[in-house]
Amino acid sequence: MNASEFRKRGKEMVDYVANYLEGIEGRQVYPDVEPGYLRPLLPAAAPQEPDTFEDIINDIEKIIMPGAASPACTELETVMMDWLGKMLELPEAFLAGKAGEGGGVIQGSASEATLMALLAARTKVIHRLQAESPELTQAAIVEKLVAYSSDQAHSSVERAGLIGGVKLKAIPSDSNFAMRVSALQEALERDKAAGLIPFFVVATLGTTTCCSFDNLLEVGPICNKEGLWLHIDAAYAGSAFICPEFRHLLNGVEFADSFNFNPHKWLLVNFDCSAMWVKKRADLTGAFRLDPTYLKHSHQDSGFITDYRHWQIPLGRRFRSLKMWFVFRMYGVKGLQAYIRKHVQLSHEFESLVRQDPRFEICAEVTLGLVCFRLKGSNKVNEALLQRINSAKKIHLVPCHLRDKFVLRFAICSRTVESAHVQVAWEHIKEMAADVLQAERK
Amino acid sequence: MNASEFRKRGKEMVDYVANYLEGIEGRQVYPDVEPGYLRPLLPAAAPQEPDTFEDIINDIEKIIMPGAASPACTELETVMMDWLGKMLELPEAFLAGKAGEGGGVIQGSASEATLMALLAARTKVIHRLQAESPELTQAAIVEKLVAYSSDQAHSSVERAGLIGGVKLKAIPSDSNFAMRVSALQEALERDKAAGLIPFFVVATLGTTTCCSFDNLLEVGPICNKEGLWLHIDAAYAGSAFICPEFRHLLNGVEFADSFNFNPHKWLLVNFDCSAMWVKKRADLTGAFRLDPTYLKHSHQDSGFITDYRHWQIPLGRRFRSLKMWFVFRMYGVKGLQAYIRKHVQLSHEFESLVRQDPRFEICAEVTLGLVCFRLKGSNKVNEALLQRINSAKKIHLVPCHLRDKFVLRFAICSRTVESAHVQVAWEHIKEMAADVLQAERK
């Protein structure tokens, strides 16, 4: 949608809201629909080609408004999560479908998704061990629990461990910054021999530092064999899996218990919208189910409805699935794929510019929209380069450490980015680098 | 703002957004401002009388845009939380001010605020006990920790206990559904004698069931004396404390370590916006501080900035303080007070209608906008009444249990509610009650 279309549609929406408020007394306080009313009104999958804005707005009136806030808010979320799951070709087991055990939920952030997965896994292992040995206290079990992730995992994984009160061990990644089965297996054996209880593994697809990928096809089977909950954190990279040429990066998801990525990062859905799927809803909802009278309702034991409050930390919820509905329909799957492809192509364009300059090196394989690079030389000179670039305020880079190397990260992430921006940025970086290298020589 | 003003202003905002996006390439990627730039540009407190919409929009351009998303998003939040804290006459210790140790943060829900307080308290007691006895493991301590709340506390308190892996004990409330010091003291003594470690107390001001108030002036001193973290959950009632005539309900807050209420419930700020204050920021931020390279920044150890990511579960944040800024300025403190007062007056109007009808009884003291009532008679007849009312869909009531009584709850909560609505609702309830009583007699 360009700016002039946005002006037109935005103003129509303002009128829509004003009309709604002016006519609110004529509306019923509670909808007439039955639980499950919404799914049959929607296609089973997102459209390939864009729908028109008129069509979407008309559907709001026809499909959403009769279901008001509840149950429309919940039911649209379940269906949108199925749409998105299908775009990613997630295994059926993760979809809510008609009668499956799995399903998706919108969390606020990947941090919350990781935490919820860890807490569900913690509850599950406690129940299992207490069923085997009823004399075991929760604390006696928790004390021995160990979670694992790669040493490249996001800090939110460590944080989830702190909140959950369990040990988290970092598995040394390989030379491509990927978690491999050998290192994981070694840790598992060592910890089991020490009397500890492995219970949870986070595999990262697209690490924050350099967009590396843990080896799911290796790690997945061992998690299944050992009865460990496998959670996949694909916060950034997940959006790319809607393109067939990148889908192989998700191979092995069939071994996972839960999977998460952030459409708010790279799929044009505004913050916040973190998509999380589980294979067994009951694992998540069983962890913290509490039903005081003021939250009971007539359909709760019917099996037809989803109570997302059991899937998350907060109780209240926003209608975030509307954002997904608008974006998926206005772009169509093909439009979203084109958007991802353009970004990946631009990152490769930047990569090749860097490679053509012998003063620079590429520090990690470029797979999606992130390029890790640096001046060949000391960390000090690269820190100086970063400082000069960010002080000039024409572009902004966020650095990382890869092992002991200080690395600059060039991320393609704007909705309106074009090749010209990449070229300008590279010219600017070269200029700053020349200044830094000259200053160093003095 | 009425509907025609909303149409005008809403459309201006659409143009503002479109203009911004069209001109975005001319803007700098990083702001020029220094940390702390914002506070001196704002008044020290919310205006008493409404500001004009023009003034607020002009201030957006002058005050917010130069600070872009960061640091404006963080700094406005800190100042708005100070404004709101001053409206409530919170003790100075809770405000960020210039050099205090306290401060406020916007959480997504009271559930998250309670959880964060419990986790911070857990970390604090673990550190304290390990400092005294370094041989104690975390698990050995956590196993013995006990948190307390009234038996009327919201289910999110129990949930926080489950997540934190600590015992939560429900203190029997008195005949007014309030937690009193005698019952709490008894539980503390019993648990300490059993070798347990009390560490955390949640006092509720305005319970979900019947808007009862725990006795803070009794409970607070004992928490301080025993070194227990006192958290106050005033999710609903907190908004009323901006009125001097209701501020006494908050007396005793000076004993608390953390305080929370939801402006999204009753202060005209749209969902979500849950306001939480702590007396010692370091207690909260110390619990989960993790600083990977990609989240480091040049000002983090300066003491001049607030990293709200250490105050909450998620990492990312929305610019929710803008909602507070607009609401506080457009209504002014007096406008917000008038709004609260009107609701309380209408709930008393409903209360007196109920009291005039001998078939009904009032089930709990009416203090704010909630009236708990029922037909004198069995739970069954009241359940039938509720079902009939909610099936008719003219009004919607959410019930609760008070002890063994099934109770109907009439909540004044709409922005546009008037006396006429209350009268119509009461006539409708009487009609439904007559039907139910007649059906019962058959």
Side-chain angles (χ1 to χ4, degrees):
Chain A
M1 188 182 272
N2 60 28
S4 81
E5 174 86 357
F6 176 82
R7 287 178 206 274
K8 179 166 179 284
R9 299 309 186 182
K11 289 169 188 176
E12 288 171 7
M13 288 303 298
V14 169
D15 278 326
Y16 188 92
V17 171
N19 292 343
Y20 174 82
L21 291 174
E22 284 186 317
I24 200 164
E25 296 213 18
R27 290 181 181 260
Q28 204 167 267
V29 296
Y30 207 76
D32 281 328
V33 300
E34 287 297 310
Y37 87 100
L38 189 132
R39 189 182 284 272
L41 302 178
L42 295 182
Q48 289 294 311
E49 305 288 345
D51 285 340
T52 66
F53 193 81
E54 280 87 355
D55 282 347
I56 307 175
I57 287 292
N58 288 339
D59 279 350
I60 291 281
E61 202 51 56
K62 270 195 305 203
I63 297 173
I64 304 300
M65 295 310 276
S70 171
C73 175
T74 291
E75 296 195 6
L76 187 67
E77 182 162 330
T78 306
V79 178
M80 286 306 101
M81 290 299 294
D82 273 4
W83 278 21
L84 184 54
K86 288 176 187 172
M87 280 191 234
L88 301 169
E89 294 185 25
L90 281 187
E92 278 266 316
F94 285 105
L95 307 183
K98 275 175 194 164
E101 288 180 60
V105 60
I106 303 175
Q107 305 278 1
S109 65
S111 304
E112 287 165 87
T114 304
L115 176 60
M116 284 307 293
L118 181 140
L119 294 173
R122 187 185 72 174
T123 302
K124 199 176 175 179
V125 71
I126 289 170
H127 288 173
R128 180 165 59 79
L129 294 175
Q130 286 185 330
E132 291 167 12
S133 313
E135 76 285 359
L136 282 175
T137 65
Q138 174 171 326
I141 296 170
V142 169
E143 181 164 30
K144 294 184 176 169
L145 294 181
V146 193
Y148 302 86
S149 70
S150 135
D151 59 10
Q152 301 298 310
H154 191 267
S155 58
S156 55
V157 179
E158 189 176 345
R159 210 151 179 273
L162 287 172
I163 294 173
V166 299
K167 293 171 192 64
L168 178 81
K169 300 218 174 169
I171 306 297
S173 54
D174 73 3
S175 59
N176 292 317
F177 309 102
M179 179 162 64
R180 303 296 300 272
V181 73
S182 51
L184 175 61
Q185 186 104 48
E186 202 178 295
L188 293 174
E189 295 309 324
R190 195 183 50 236
D191 289 343
K192 284 194 292 183
L196 298 175
I197 306 169
F199 81 111
F200 186 66
V201 174
V202 177
T204 309
L205 299 181
T207 57
T208 308
T209 47
C210 66
C211 199
S212 61
F213 291 78
D214 288 343
N215 194 319
L216 260 194
L217 289 169
E218 286 184 1
V219 165
I222 205 76
C223 291
N224 286 188
K225 180 169 156 270
E226 301 273 341
L228 313 178
W229 182 299
L230 175 60
H231 176 71
I232 298 176
D233 173 7
Y236 160 70
S239 298
F241 306 154
I242 66 166
C243 299
E245 68 271 32
F246 299 122
R247 173 58 177 75
H248 69 94
L249 295 166
L250 186 58
N251 287 349
V253 66
E254 56 275 17
F255 299 112
D257 297 282
S258 51
F259 169 72
N260 170 247
F261 86 98
N262 291 348
H264 68 231
K265 275 207 193 332
W266 200 18
L267 210 60
L268 290 154
V269 181
N270 281 341
F271 189 81
D272 55 358
C273 179
S274 183
M276 179 190 194
W277 290 265
V278 287
K279 259 193 200 148
K280 295 209 167 120
R281 294 194 288 266
D283 285 341
L284 211 55
T285 62
F288 306 111
R289 187 166 209 117
L290 294 171
D291 280 314
T293 307
Y294 49 82
L295 295 176
K296 275 194 202 304
H297 50 79
S298 53
H299 296 290
Q300 68 182 13
D301 299 318
S302 68
F304 287 110
I305 67 114
T306 300
D307 259 344
Y308 276 129
R309 66 191 162 91
H310 299 304
W311 298 52
Q312 60 175 20
I313 304 285
L315 175 58
R317 314 196 82 239
R318 283 164 290 129
F319 206 149
R320 292 175 288 200
S321 57
L322 278 177
K323 297 190 290 196
M324 298 169 83
W325 204 39
F326 271 78
V327 168
F328 297 164
R329 296 186 64 183
M330 288 186 66
Y331 281 83
V333 175
K334 287 184 181 171
L336 294 170
Q337 288 170 337
Y339 178 74
I340 296 287
R341 283 175 185 137
K342 181 176 185 180
H343 279 200
V344 177
Q345 181 210 312
L346 290 175
S347 78
H348 284 302
E349 179 176 334
F350 183 81
E351 178 191 12
S352 74
L353 290 168
V354 174
R355 287 195 191 277
Q356 284 160 36
D357 189 321
R359 297 171 301 173
F360 287 89
E361 60 184 340
I362 294 290
C363 308
E365 188 183 354
V366 177
T367 313
L368 300 175
L370 180 70
V371 183
C372 288
F373 72 106
R374 70 200 297 275
L375 282 166
K376 292 169 185 165
S378 67
N379 281 353
K380 207 172 138 230
V381 72
N382 280 289
E383 283 166 19
L385 174 58
L386 179 83
Q387 217 239 313
R388 193 170 285 247
I389 290 169
N390 283 349
S391 299
K393 299 181 183 178
K394 287 184 73 169
I395 64 173
H396 189 78
L397 302 184
V398 175
C400 75
H401 276 96
L402 288 177
R403 313 281 186 241
D404 53 352
K405 281 187 178 173
F406 185 85
V407 167
L408 280 63
R409 296 161 66 260
F410 189 88
I412 304 283
C413 55
S414 163
R415 186 172 62 86
T416 55
V417 63
E418 299 288 345
S419 171
H421 298 109
V422 172
Q423 298 289 339
V424 166
W426 175 240
E427 288 305 317
H428 179 63
I429 291 168
K430 282 199 297 188
E431 209 176 292
M432 299 291 104
D435 291 351
V436 165
L437 291 170
Q438 192 174 22
E440 207 194 23
R441 258 176 252 119
K442 273 179 194 163
Chain B
M1 187 181 273
N2 61 28
S4 81
E5 174 88 357
F6 176 81
R7 287 177 207 275
K8 178 167 180 287
R9 298 310 185 182
K11 290 169 189 178
E12 287 172 8
M13 287 305 296
V14 168
D15 279 326
Y16 187 90
V17 172
N19 292 343
Y20 174 81
L21 291 174
E22 284 185 319
I24 200 164
E25 296 213 19
R27 288 180 182 263
Q28 202 168 268
V29 298
Y30 208 77
D32 282 326
V33 301
E34 287 296 311
Y37 87 100
L38 189 133
R39 188 181 287 271
L41 303 177
L42 296 181
Q48 289 293 310
E49 305 287 343
D51 283 341
T52 66
F53 193 82
E54 279 86 357
D55 282 346
I56 306 175
I57 286 292
N58 288 340
D59 280 351
I60 291 281
E61 201 52 55
K62 271 194 305 202
I63 297 173
I64 304 299
M65 295 311 276
S70 173
C73 174
T74 291
E75 296 194 6
L76 186 66
E77 183 162 331
T78 307
V79 178
M80 285 306 103
M81 290 298 295
D82 273 4
W83 277 21
L84 184 55
K86 286 176 187 172
M87 280 191 232
L88 302 169
E89 293 183 28
L90 281 187
E92 279 266 318
F94 286 103
L95 307 184
K98 275 175 196 164
E101 289 181 61
V105 60
I106 303 176
Q107 305 279 0
S109 64
S111 303
E112 288 164 88
T114 304
L115 175 60
M116 286 306 294
L118 180 139
L119 294 173
R122 189 185 69 174
T123 303
K124 197 174 177 182
V125 71
I126 289 170
H127 288 173
R128 180 165 58 79
L129 294 175
Q130 286 184 331
E132 291 167 11
S133 314
E135 76 285 1
L136 283 176
T137 64
Q138 175 171 324
I141 297 169
V142 170
E143 181 164 34
K144 294 183 176 169
L145 294 180
V146 193
Y148 303 86
S149 70
S150 134
D151 58 12
Q152 300 299 309
H154 191 268
S155 58
S156 55
V157 179
E158 189 176 345
R159 211 150 177 275
L162 287 172
I163 294 172
V166 299
K167 293 171 193 65
L168 177 82
K169 302 218 174 169
I171 304 299
S173 55
D174 72 3
S175 59
N176 292 317
F177 309 102
M179 179 162 64
R180 303 295 300 273
V181 73
S182 51
L184 175 62
Q185 186 104 48
E186 203 178 295
L188 293 174
E189 294 310 324
R190 195 184 49 235
D191 289 341
K192 285 194 291 182
L196 298 174
I197 307 169
F199 81 110
F200 185 67
V201 174
V202 177
T204 309
L205 299 182
T207 57
T208 309
T209 47
C210 66
C211 200
S212 61
F213 292 77
D214 288 343
N215 194 318
L216 261 192
L217 288 169
E218 285 183 4
V219 165
I222 204 76
C223 290
N224 286 188
K225 181 169 156 272
E226 301 273 342
L228 314 178
W229 183 298
L230 175 59
H231 176 71
I232 298 177
D233 172 7
Y236 161 70
S239 298
F241 306 153
I242 65 167
C243 300
E245 68 271 33
F246 300 122
R247 174 56 178 77
H248 68 94
L249 295 165
L250 185 59
N251 287 349
V253 66
E254 57 275 17
F255 299 111
D257 298 282
S258 50
F259 169 72
N260 168 248
F261 85 99
N262 292 348
H264 68 230
K265 274 205 193 335
W266 200 17
L267 210 59
L268 290 156
V269 180
N270 282 341
F271 188 80
D272 53 359
C273 180
S274 183
M276 180 189 193
W277 290 264
V278 287
K279 257 190 202 152
K280 294 210 168 119
R281 295 193 288 264
D283 285 341
L284 212 54
T285 62
F288 307 110
R289 185 166 211 120
L290 294 170
D291 279 315
T293 307
Y294 50 82
L295 294 177
K296 277 196 202 301
H297 51 81
S298 53
H299 296 291
Q300 67 183 12
D301 299 317
S302 67
F304 286 112
I305 67 116
T306 299
D307 259 345
Y308 276 129
R309 65 190 162 94
H310 299 304
W311 297 53
Q312 59 175 21
I313 304 283
L315 175 59
R317 315 196 82 238
R318 283 165 289 130
F319 205 149
R320 292 176 289 202
S321 58
L322 278 177
K323 297 189 290 195
M324 297 168 83
W325 204 39
F326 272 79
V327 168
F328 297 164
R329 295 185 64 183
M330 290 187 65
Y331 281 83
V333 175
K334 287 185 181 170
L336 293 170
Q337 288 170 336
Y339 178 74
I340 297 286
R341 282 173 185 139
K342 182 176 183 179
H343 278 199
V344 177
Q345 181 211 314
L346 290 175
S347 77
H348 284 303
E349 180 176 331
F350 183 82
E351 178 192 12
S352 74
L353 291 169
V354 175
R355 288 195 190 278
Q356 283 159 38
D357 189 324
R359 297 170 302 173
F360 287 90
E361 60 183 339
I362 293 289
C363 308
E365 189 185 353
V366 178
T367 312
L368 300 176
L370 179 70
V371 183
C372 288
F373 72 107
R374 69 198 299 274
L375 280 167
K376 292 170 185 164
S378 67
N379 280 353
K380 208 172 137 231
V381 72
N382 280 288
E383 283 165 20
L385 174 59
L386 179 82
Q387 216 240 313
R388 193 170 285 246
I389 290 170
N390 283 349
S391 299
K393 298 179 184 179
K394 287 185 71 170
I395 65 173
H396 189 78
L397 302 184
V398 175
C400 76
H401 276 96
L402 287 177
R403 311 282 185 240
D404 53 353
K405 280 188 179 172
F406 185 86
V407 168
L408 280 64
R409 294 161 66 260
F410 190 87
I412 304 284
C413 53
S414 163
R415 185 173 63 88
T416 55
V417 62
E418 298 289 345
S419 172
H421 298 111
V422 171
Q423 297 289 339
V424 166
W426 175 240
E427 288 305 317
H428 179 62
I429 290 168
K430 282 199 298 187
E431 211 176 290
M432 298 291 104
D435 291 350
V436 165
L437 292 171
Q438 192 174 22
E440 206 197 23
R441 260 177 250 119
K442 274 180 191 164

